Amino acid sequence: MRILQVAPYFHPYVGGQERYVRCLAKALVDRGHIVEVFTSNFPKSKEHETIDGIEVRRFDFLCKPLNNPISPMLLFHLIKHCRDFDVI
């Protein structure tokens, strides 16, 4: 199954939600699923990389009101590729 997780932040950002999303994605990969994460590019990292079998795509953001990154490109890619995934 192809699974997409959307999170405001992801590794190397350190926090509880980021750890949970990474552990869940890793467990799903270990069970044979294809997992991809769409997230913001904060802190600045590679725009596309594979971590523990998880495809990570990071998108630049315009601003972070209330510490929530606003990324129009993430939304654009989500709409464009939503049919590529079984679960979002």
Side-chain angles (χ1 to χ4, degrees):
M1 187 178 332
R2 288 186 51 95
I3 300 169
L4 174 64
Q5 293 180 312
V6 181
Y9 302 103
F10 192 71
H11 179 78
Y13 191 89
V14 178
Q17 174 186 340
E18 296 74 27
R19 182 176 296 134
Y20 177 79
V21 170
R22 185 174 180 182
C23 288
L24 177 60
K26 176 83 170 86
L28 291 168
V29 167
D30 290 345
R31 287 175 174 78
H33 300 289
I34 298 168
V35 179
E36 193 164 331
V37 175
F38 283 7
T39 189
S40 68
N41 197 357
F42 183 85
K44 202 70 166 164
S45 304
K46 294 180 183 177
E47 291 181 4
H48 182 253
E49 67 179 319
T50 303
I51 301 173
D52 296 331
I54 307 160
E55 292 291 322
V56 180
R57 293 189 186 272
R58 294 184 180 89
F59 301 93
D60 291 330
F61 56 94
L62 296 175
C63 58
K64 293 189 326 182
L66 300 174
N67 206 26
N68 294 305
I70 305 298
S71 175
M73 288 307 293
L74 187 150
L75 180 60
F76 172 77
H77 275 79
L78 182 60
I79 292 168
K80 183 178 177 184
H81 297 287
C82 68
R83 299 204 187 275
D84 297 343
F85 298 95
D86 300 310
V87 177
I88 298 175

XYZ file of all heavy atoms in Angstrom:
727
model
N 0.840 -1.163 0.000
C 0.000 0.000 0.000
C 0.896 1.239 0.000
O 1.919 1.278 0.656
C -0.882 -0.013 1.258
C -1.897 1.063 1.264
S -3.068 1.147 2.664
C -3.223 -0.484 3.232
N 0.485 2.256 -0.730
C 1.222 3.535 -0.765
C 0.569 4.487 0.230
O -0.631 4.763 0.134
C 1.201 4.132 -2.157
C 2.084 3.362 -3.136
C 2.166 4.064 -4.481
N 2.529 5.463 -4.361
C 3.770 5.955 -4.473
N 4.765 5.149 -4.719
N 4.003 7.243 -4.370
N 1.367 4.980 1.160
C 0.860 5.817 2.243
C 1.592 7.153 2.240
O 2.824 7.196 2.150
C 1.064 5.113 3.601
C 0.319 3.779 3.597
C 0.604 6.002 4.743
C 0.663 2.880 4.760
N 0.832 8.240 2.355
C 1.412 9.579 2.457
C 1.097 10.140 3.835
O -0.052 10.128 4.275
C 0.831 10.511 1.393
C 1.244 11.983 1.492
C 2.743 12.149 1.287
C 0.468 12.820 0.497
N 2.131 10.630 4.510
C 1.961 11.334 5.769
C 2.316 12.795 5.531
O 3.329 13.095 4.890
C 2.860 10.754 6.856
C 2.479 9.348 7.258
C 3.391 8.807 8.338
O 4.606 8.905 8.230
N 2.800 8.250 9.371
N 1.487 13.693 6.033
C 1.728 15.125 5.916
C 1.945 15.657 7.327
O 1.096 15.476 8.202
C 0.545 15.844 5.241
C 0.824 17.329 5.116
C 0.257 15.232 3.872
N 3.098 16.282 7.539
C 3.442 16.790 8.866
C 4.088 18.162 8.723
O 4.809 18.404 7.759
C 4.394 15.831 9.568
N 3.854 19.061 9.689
C 4.461 20.383 9.579
C 5.986 20.337 9.666
O 6.661 21.118 9.017
C 3.865 21.174 10.742
C 3.224 20.185 11.629
C 2.988 18.937 10.849
N 6.522 19.414 10.476
C 7.968 19.274 10.633
C 8.323 17.790 10.629
O 7.493 16.943 10.933
C 8.447 19.889 11.958
C 8.097 21.343 12.101
C 7.046 21.741 12.913
C 8.822 22.307 11.429
C 6.720 23.077 13.044
C 8.498 23.646 11.554
C 7.443 24.029 12.365
O 7.130 25.346 12.487
N 9.576 17.492 10.282
C 10.061 16.114 10.263
C 11.557 16.138 10.552
O 12.182 17.196 10.502
C 9.764 15.456 8.900
C 9.958 13.978 8.870
C 9.081 13.129 9.525
C 11.022 13.415 8.197
C 9.250 11.758 9.505
C 11.210 12.051 8.163
C 10.314 11.218 8.819
N 12.126 14.994 10.816
C 13.550 14.855 11.086
C 14.363 15.662 10.071
O 14.053 15.607 8.901
C 13.924 13.370 11.002
C 15.365 13.106 11.238
N 15.920 13.105 12.490
C 16.374 12.865 10.371
C 17.195 12.843 12.381
N 17.507 12.707 11.109
N 15.291 16.495 10.439
C 16.046 16.560 11.677
C 15.433 17.441 12.761
O 16.036 17.591 13.817
C 17.392 17.115 11.238
C 17.082 17.999 10.097
C 15.919 17.330 9.402
N 14.264 18.043 12.532
C 13.592 18.800 13.586
C 13.266 17.824 14.717
O 12.809 16.714 14.471
C 12.309 19.425 13.034
C 11.670 20.444 13.945
C 12.035 21.776 13.875
C 10.699 20.064 14.856
C 11.445 22.720 14.687
C 10.103 21.001 15.681
C 10.477 22.322 15.593
O 9.898 23.262 16.404
N 13.513 18.224 15.954
C 13.342 17.320 17.084
C 12.101 17.707 17.877
O 11.967 18.852 18.310
C 14.580 17.355 18.006
C 14.380 16.453 19.203
C 15.828 16.953 17.235
N 11.206 16.752 18.042
C 9.999 16.975 18.822
C 9.184 15.703 18.892
O 9.483 14.708 18.225
N 8.145 15.716 19.697
C 7.317 14.531 19.894
C 6.576 14.101 18.638
O 6.558 12.926 18.278
N 5.926 15.050 17.962
C 5.185 14.720 16.746
C 6.126 14.190 15.667
O 5.806 13.220 14.985
C 4.448 15.952 16.230
C 3.774 15.712 14.892
C 3.177 16.980 14.325
O 2.923 17.949 15.030
N 2.956 16.988 13.035
N 7.276 14.801 15.543
C 8.238 14.379 14.523
C 8.727 12.960 14.804
O 8.857 12.144 13.880
C 9.416 15.348 14.476
C 9.026 16.747 14.058
C 8.281 17.538 15.120
O 8.462 17.271 16.317
O 7.492 18.422 14.734
N 8.975 12.659 16.050
C 9.407 11.307 16.431
C 8.295 10.297 16.152
O 8.536 9.219 15.635
C 9.798 11.269 17.905
C 10.308 9.896 18.339
C 10.781 9.886 19.773
N 11.938 10.774 19.897
C 12.078 11.672 20.871
N 11.174 11.813 21.792
N 13.153 12.432 20.905
N 7.058 10.654 16.483
C 5.921 9.762 16.259
C 5.728 9.469 14.768
O 5.571 8.315 14.367
C 4.640 10.369 16.842
C 3.429 9.521 16.585
C 3.180 8.396 17.359
C 2.559 9.815 15.550
C 2.075 7.601 17.124
C 1.453 9.024 15.296
C 1.220 7.923 16.085
O 0.130 7.126 15.830
N 5.745 10.522 13.942
C 5.565 10.347 12.491
C 6.675 9.467 11.928
O 6.416 8.558 11.130
C 5.515 11.713 11.770
C 5.575 11.547 10.263
C 4.261 12.469 12.167
N 7.907 9.682 12.365
C 9.028 8.875 11.862
C 8.902 7.408 12.302
O 9.103 6.496 11.499
C 10.356 9.458 12.329
C 11.543 8.737 11.739
C 12.842 9.408 12.102
N 13.961 8.685 11.522
C 15.210 9.014 11.709
N 15.517 10.071 12.433
N 16.176 8.311 11.168
N 8.563 7.174 13.566
C 8.420 5.794 14.059
C 7.266 5.071 13.371
O 7.384 3.898 13.009
C 8.216 5.780 15.571
S 9.687 6.204 16.514
N 6.149 5.767 13.182
C 5.007 5.168 12.493
C 5.373 4.841 11.046
O 5.099 3.736 10.554
C 3.811 6.110 12.530
C 2.559 5.644 11.775
C 2.049 4.322 12.330
C 1.481 6.712 11.854
N 6.013 5.780 10.364
C 6.414 5.549 8.970
C 7.390 4.384 8.876
O 7.269 3.529 7.990
C 7.037 6.817 8.388
N 8.353 4.321 9.785
C 9.337 3.223 9.790
C 8.648 1.883 10.012
O 8.959 0.892 9.339
C 10.383 3.470 10.884
C 11.399 2.362 11.060
C 12.515 2.483 10.068
C 13.650 1.525 10.384
N 13.481 0.205 9.845
N 7.689 1.820 10.933
C 6.958 0.574 11.188
C 6.157 0.149 9.959
O 6.085 -1.048 9.634
C 6.035 0.746 12.395
N 5.582 1.109 9.259
C 4.826 0.786 8.041
C 5.751 0.293 6.936
O 5.422 -0.650 6.212
C 4.037 2.012 7.582
C 2.878 2.419 8.493
C 2.362 3.809 8.116
C 1.754 1.401 8.425
N 6.919 0.912 6.800
C 7.913 0.452 5.814
C 8.355 -0.971 6.143
O 8.468 -1.815 5.256
C 9.119 1.418 5.758
C 10.286 0.803 5.003
C 8.717 2.736 5.109
N 8.580 -1.241 7.428
C 9.002 -2.582 7.849
C 7.942 -3.639 7.533
O 8.263 -4.813 7.389
C 9.315 -2.605 9.350
C 10.576 -1.829 9.689
O 11.368 -1.516 8.764
O 10.763 -1.520 10.890
N 6.687 -3.220 7.414
C 5.597 -4.140 7.080
C 5.373 -4.247 5.574
O 4.420 -4.861 5.124
C 4.327 -3.718 7.787
C 4.352 -4.013 9.272
C 3.125 -3.486 9.984
N 3.086 -3.879 11.373
C 3.787 -3.328 12.361
N 4.626 -2.347 12.079
N 3.666 -3.737 13.603
N 6.236 -3.577 4.795
C 6.190 -3.711 3.349
C 5.443 -2.619 2.612
O 5.254 -2.715 1.401
N 5.018 -1.583 3.309
C 4.301 -0.488 2.659
C 5.288 0.540 2.113
O 6.425 0.636 2.566
C 3.347 0.197 3.647
C 2.320 -0.730 4.209
N 1.282 -1.229 3.468
C 2.192 -1.264 5.451
C 0.543 -2.014 4.227
N 1.086 -2.068 5.437
N 4.838 1.308 1.143
C 5.624 2.414 0.596
C 5.120 3.674 1.283
O 3.939 4.008 1.201
C 5.446 2.514 -0.927
C 5.946 1.239 -1.595
C 6.161 3.751 -1.472
C 5.555 1.119 -3.047
N 6.018 4.353 1.980
C 5.624 5.524 2.767
C 6.392 6.749 2.290
O 7.594 6.701 2.074
C 5.899 5.293 4.276
C 5.501 6.524 5.079
C 5.167 4.059 4.770
N 5.645 7.843 2.141
C 6.247 9.114 1.771
C 5.748 10.173 2.754
O 4.602 10.112 3.210
C 5.859 9.476 0.346
C 6.677 10.596 -0.233
C 6.553 10.685 -1.752
O 6.325 9.658 -2.396
O 6.686 11.809 -2.257
N 6.603 11.124 3.088
C 6.259 12.209 4.006
C 6.420 13.534 3.276
O 7.458 13.797 2.679
C 7.156 12.184 5.268
C 6.875 13.395 6.146
C 6.958 10.895 6.057
N 5.376 14.360 3.313
C 5.443 15.737 2.836
C 5.556 16.612 4.075
O 4.759 16.482 5.012
C 4.175 16.125 2.075
C 4.069 15.599 0.667
C 4.979 14.701 0.144
C 3.034 16.016 -0.146
C 4.862 14.234 -1.155
C 2.906 15.559 -1.446
C 3.819 14.666 -1.955
N 6.531 17.514 4.087
C 6.763 18.349 5.256
C 7.402 19.669 4.847
O 7.756 19.863 3.683
C 7.649 17.597 6.278
O 7.694 18.331 7.489
C 9.039 17.363 5.737
N 7.562 20.559 5.815
C 8.229 21.836 5.541
C 9.745 21.638 5.560
O 10.245 20.667 6.122
C 7.845 22.879 6.595
O 8.386 22.521 7.856
N 10.437 22.557 4.949
C 11.898 22.486 4.916
C 12.472 23.338 6.045
O 13.149 24.342 5.821
C 12.431 22.941 3.560
C 13.855 22.499 3.345
O 14.471 21.900 4.214
N 14.388 22.798 2.172
N 12.154 22.932 7.272
C 12.678 23.613 8.453
C 13.101 22.576 9.472
O 12.292 21.722 9.823
C 11.627 24.531 9.081
C 12.168 25.287 10.260
C 12.840 26.472 10.068
C 12.026 24.799 11.548
C 13.346 27.164 11.151
C 12.538 25.480 12.628
C 13.192 26.667 12.428
N 14.323 22.592 9.938
C 15.423 23.436 9.498
C 15.857 23.054 8.076
O 15.557 21.967 7.610
C 16.526 23.141 10.506
C 16.226 21.792 11.033
C 14.735 21.642 10.969
N 16.547 23.952 7.427
C 16.935 23.757 6.024
C 17.655 22.426 5.855
O 18.647 22.154 6.520
C 17.845 24.910 5.592
C 17.885 25.110 4.120
C 16.565 25.654 3.624
C 16.697 26.168 2.211
N 15.410 26.338 1.592
N 17.123 21.581 4.978
C 17.669 20.253 4.716
C 17.527 19.953 3.231
O 17.070 20.797 2.463
C 16.896 19.198 5.524
O 16.912 19.494 6.888
N 17.870 18.730 2.864
C 17.680 18.310 1.477
C 16.194 18.338 1.148
O 15.364 17.960 1.973
C 18.205 16.893 1.267
C 19.693 16.757 1.414
C 20.097 15.313 1.182
C 21.581 15.131 1.405
N 21.972 13.729 1.265
N 15.877 18.757 -0.077
C 14.469 18.820 -0.477
C 13.866 17.440 -0.683
O 12.661 17.265 -0.500
C 14.318 19.661 -1.737
C 14.587 21.127 -1.495
C 14.411 21.967 -2.726
O 13.995 21.441 -3.778
O 14.687 23.173 -2.632
N 14.686 16.472 -1.067
C 14.201 15.108 -1.261
C 15.274 14.146 -0.793
O 16.418 14.246 -1.208
C 13.868 14.859 -2.738
C 13.321 13.502 -2.998
N 14.052 12.523 -3.618
C 12.128 12.953 -2.700
C 13.321 11.427 -3.701
N 12.152 11.663 -3.151
N 14.890 13.231 0.082
C 15.829 12.224 0.551
C 15.060 11.022 1.077
O 13.846 11.080 1.279
C 16.755 12.776 1.627
C 16.098 13.130 2.939
C 17.100 13.646 3.958
O 18.214 13.093 4.044
O 16.760 14.605 4.666
N 15.798 9.937 1.281
C 15.226 8.728 1.858
C 15.867 8.499 3.217
O 17.084 8.457 3.339
C 15.492 7.511 0.938
O 14.944 7.787 -0.353
C 14.849 6.259 1.506
N 15.016 8.364 4.247
C 15.480 8.119 5.608
C 14.813 6.836 6.085
O 13.585 6.766 6.161
C 15.099 9.276 6.551
C 15.693 10.593 6.073
C 15.520 8.964 7.982
C 15.218 11.804 6.845
N 15.596 5.813 6.383
C 15.065 4.524 6.865
C 14.003 3.956 5.940
O 13.015 3.377 6.388
C 14.480 4.672 8.279
C 15.516 5.042 9.314
O 16.694 4.672 9.138
O 15.148 5.695 10.309
N 14.164 4.157 4.633
C 13.199 3.638 3.672
C 11.991 4.537 3.463
O 11.083 4.201 2.702
N 11.967 5.692 4.121
C 10.858 6.651 4.024
C 11.261 7.753 3.046
O 12.282 8.410 3.238
C 10.565 7.285 5.402
C 10.340 6.218 6.456
C 9.391 8.250 5.315
C 10.531 6.724 7.875
N 10.473 7.952 2.007
C 10.736 9.047 1.067
C 10.258 10.342 1.710
O 9.095 10.451 2.106
C 9.980 8.825 -0.246
C 10.469 7.659 -1.052
C 11.852 7.892 -1.639
O 12.165 9.017 -2.067
O 12.626 6.921 -1.665
N 11.149 11.304 1.821
C 10.813 12.578 2.460
C 10.943 13.687 1.433
O 11.978 13.837 0.796
C 11.749 12.857 3.661
C 11.381 14.182 4.323
C 11.700 11.718 4.663
N 9.871 14.466 1.281
C 9.881 15.631 0.394
C 9.609 16.867 1.247
O 8.596 16.938 1.939
C 8.823 15.514 -0.689
C 9.114 14.413 -1.666
C 8.154 14.487 -2.855
N 8.351 13.347 -3.712
C 9.220 13.291 -4.709
N 9.980 14.321 -4.963
N 9.342 12.212 -5.440
N 10.549 17.795 1.191
C 10.433 19.017 1.981
C 10.136 20.197 1.060
O 10.701 20.306 -0.022
C 11.723 19.262 2.756
C 11.975 18.217 3.803
C 13.227 18.562 4.614
N 13.464 17.562 5.623
C 14.183 16.464 5.436
N 14.746 16.244 4.264
N 14.335 15.595 6.415
N 9.266 21.075 1.527
C 8.841 22.228 0.738
C 9.121 23.507 1.508
O 8.903 23.579 2.719
C 7.338 22.122 0.426
C 6.982 20.878 -0.336
C 6.579 19.735 0.329
C 7.084 20.848 -1.715
C 6.259 18.572 -0.365
C 6.763 19.692 -2.420
C 6.358 18.557 -1.745
N 9.602 24.523 0.783
C 9.829 25.833 1.394
C 8.497 26.416 1.839
O 7.442 26.115 1.276
C 10.506 26.773 0.407
C 11.942 26.356 0.122
O 12.584 25.769 1.014
O 12.416 26.614 -1.003
N 8.547 27.262 2.858
C 7.331 27.858 3.381
C 7.430 29.376 3.330
O 8.520 29.940 3.286
C 7.055 27.373 4.810
C 8.182 27.626 5.766
C 8.199 28.774 6.534
C 9.230 26.723 5.889
C 9.247 29.017 7.404
C 10.276 26.950 6.759
C 10.288 28.106 7.523
N 6.269 30.024 3.317
C 6.219 31.487 3.256
C 6.391 32.119 4.625
O 7.098 33.105 4.780
C 4.882 31.945 2.671
C 4.595 31.558 1.232
C 3.202 31.985 0.840
C 5.621 32.193 0.314
N 5.702 31.562 5.608
C 5.739 32.114 6.959
C 5.314 31.024 7.948
O 4.889 29.948 7.544
C 4.829 33.328 7.078
S 3.122 32.977 6.662
N 5.474 31.326 9.243
C 5.115 30.353 10.277
C 4.236 31.009 11.341
O 4.644 31.177 12.480
C 6.364 29.780 10.936
C 7.205 28.935 10.048
C 8.312 28.198 10.770
C 8.924 28.914 11.912
N 10.020 28.213 12.562
N 2.984 31.361 11.002
C 2.124 31.932 12.036
C 1.817 30.871 13.095
O 1.475 29.731 12.761
C 0.865 32.368 11.283
C 0.863 31.534 10.051
C 2.303 31.242 9.726
N 1.960 31.239 14.355
C 1.741 30.320 15.472
C 2.565 29.043 15.323
O 2.124 27.949 15.670
C 0.255 29.987 15.616
C -0.657 31.189 15.876
C -2.111 30.779 15.848
C -0.295 31.862 17.183
N 3.756 29.185 14.729
C 4.711 28.079 14.529
C 4.199 26.995 13.582
O 4.632 25.847 13.635
C 5.137 27.474 15.866
C 6.500 26.837 15.793
O 7.320 27.235 14.966
N 6.754 25.859 16.621
N 3.246 27.343 12.711
C 2.732 26.417 11.707
C 3.178 26.890 10.326
O 2.706 27.919 9.842
C 1.199 26.354 11.751
C 0.706 25.747 13.028
O 1.094 24.646 13.380
N -0.137 26.474 13.747
N 4.071 26.144 9.677
C 4.582 26.588 8.374
C 3.499 26.555 7.291
O 2.763 25.578 7.182
C 5.704 25.593 8.066
C 5.405 24.398 8.894
C 4.650 24.866 10.088
N 3.404 27.622 6.534
C 2.462 27.729 5.420
C 3.253 27.517 4.139
O 4.127 28.307 3.799
C 1.770 29.111 5.392
C 1.093 29.410 6.728
C 0.798 29.208 4.223
C -0.001 28.456 7.119
N 2.949 26.424 3.422
C 3.697 26.072 2.219
C 2.752 25.831 1.046
O 2.151 24.760 0.943
C 4.529 24.811 2.475
O 5.147 24.406 1.283
N 2.610 26.808 0.155
C 1.743 26.621 -1.017
C 2.197 25.456 -1.907
O 1.362 24.742 -2.461
C 1.844 27.950 -1.762
C 2.285 28.936 -0.741
C 3.145 28.171 0.212
N 3.503 25.234 -2.036
C 3.987 24.141 -2.890
C 3.615 22.771 -2.310
O 3.344 21.839 -3.053
C 5.502 24.240 -3.095
C 5.905 25.383 -3.990
S 5.046 25.399 -5.595
C 5.719 23.940 -6.354
N 3.593 22.647 -0.992
C 3.176 21.395 -0.375
C 1.727 21.117 -0.755
O 1.386 20.004 -1.159
C 3.328 21.462 1.145
C 3.076 20.160 1.891
C 3.930 20.124 3.147
C 1.653 19.947 2.236
N 0.871 22.120 -0.640
C -0.531 21.960 -1.000
C -0.675 21.613 -2.483
O -1.449 20.727 -2.848
C -1.314 23.227 -0.668
C -2.801 23.191 -0.995
C -3.492 22.070 -0.237
C -3.434 24.530 -0.685
N 0.080 22.292 -3.334
C 0.045 22.015 -4.775
C 0.425 20.561 -5.053
O -0.266 19.867 -5.805
C 0.991 22.972 -5.509
C 1.173 22.640 -6.955
C 0.194 22.952 -7.883
C 2.322 21.993 -7.395
C 0.351 22.628 -9.224
C 2.503 21.666 -8.733
C 1.507 21.989 -9.654
N 1.521 20.072 -4.444
C 1.948 18.689 -4.657
C 0.950 17.694 -4.066
O 0.729 16.616 -4.625
C 3.338 18.453 -4.075
C 4.432 18.835 -5.005
N 4.835 20.131 -5.190
C 5.198 18.085 -5.823
C 5.800 20.163 -6.089
N 6.047 18.936 -6.480
N 0.341 18.048 -2.966
C -0.667 17.183 -2.358
C -1.851 17.011 -3.295
O -2.314 15.887 -3.525
C -1.123 17.771 -1.019
C -2.141 16.971 -0.228
C -1.599 15.597 0.118
C -2.526 17.718 1.031
N -2.329 18.094 -3.868
C -3.448 18.024 -4.808
C -3.042 17.273 -6.072
O -3.774 16.417 -6.574
C -3.958 19.438 -5.146
C -4.606 20.050 -3.905
C -4.927 19.415 -6.318
C -4.887 21.531 -4.020
N -1.854 17.565 -6.587
C -1.377 16.954 -7.831
C -1.165 15.444 -7.692
O -1.455 14.684 -8.614
C -0.080 17.628 -8.269
C 0.470 17.121 -9.572
C 1.735 17.871 -9.961
C 2.329 17.301 -11.229
N 3.593 17.941 -11.578
N -0.660 14.997 -6.544
C -0.281 13.593 -6.383
C -1.207 12.792 -5.472
O -0.894 11.639 -5.150
C 1.150 13.507 -5.841
C 2.167 14.081 -6.775
N 2.556 13.450 -7.935
C 2.850 15.247 -6.733
C 3.444 14.195 -8.562
N 3.644 15.294 -7.849
N -2.340 13.352 -5.069
C -3.195 12.651 -4.111
C -3.690 11.303 -4.641
O -3.881 10.362 -3.870
C -4.348 13.528 -3.651
S -5.571 13.891 -4.905
N -3.859 11.166 -5.930
C -4.336 9.893 -6.492
C -3.240 8.824 -6.550
O -3.516 7.670 -6.821
C -4.931 10.119 -7.876
C -6.115 11.064 -7.851
C -7.028 10.832 -9.028
N -8.071 11.830 -9.107
C -9.217 11.770 -8.442
N -9.437 10.770 -7.634
N -10.132 12.701 -8.570
N -1.994 9.207 -6.283
C -0.882 8.256 -6.280
C -0.838 7.430 -4.991
O -0.086 6.461 -4.917
C 0.465 8.987 -6.422
C 0.581 9.731 -7.746
O -0.203 9.439 -8.681
O 1.455 10.612 -7.835
N -1.625 7.812 -3.985
C -1.558 7.165 -2.688
C -2.876 6.486 -2.339
O -3.947 6.955 -2.726
C -1.207 8.199 -1.608
C 0.142 8.831 -1.820
C 0.250 10.040 -2.479
C 1.298 8.208 -1.393
C 1.491 10.612 -2.697
C 2.540 8.767 -1.606
C 2.637 9.979 -2.269
N -2.767 5.405 -1.590
C -3.963 4.698 -1.122
C -4.513 5.339 0.144
O -5.727 5.321 0.385
C -3.638 3.228 -0.848
C -3.134 2.521 -2.101
O -3.800 2.629 -3.148
O -2.076 1.867 -2.030
N -3.621 5.856 0.986
C -4.004 6.467 2.253
C -3.203 7.750 2.429
O -1.996 7.759 2.208
C -3.709 5.513 3.452
C -4.033 6.193 4.770
C -4.476 4.213 3.301
N -3.881 8.809 2.842
C -3.203 10.080 3.155
C -3.527 10.417 4.596
O -4.659 10.424 4.999
C -3.663 11.233 2.230
C -3.321 10.897 0.785
C -3.022 12.544 2.653
C -3.820 11.883 -0.225
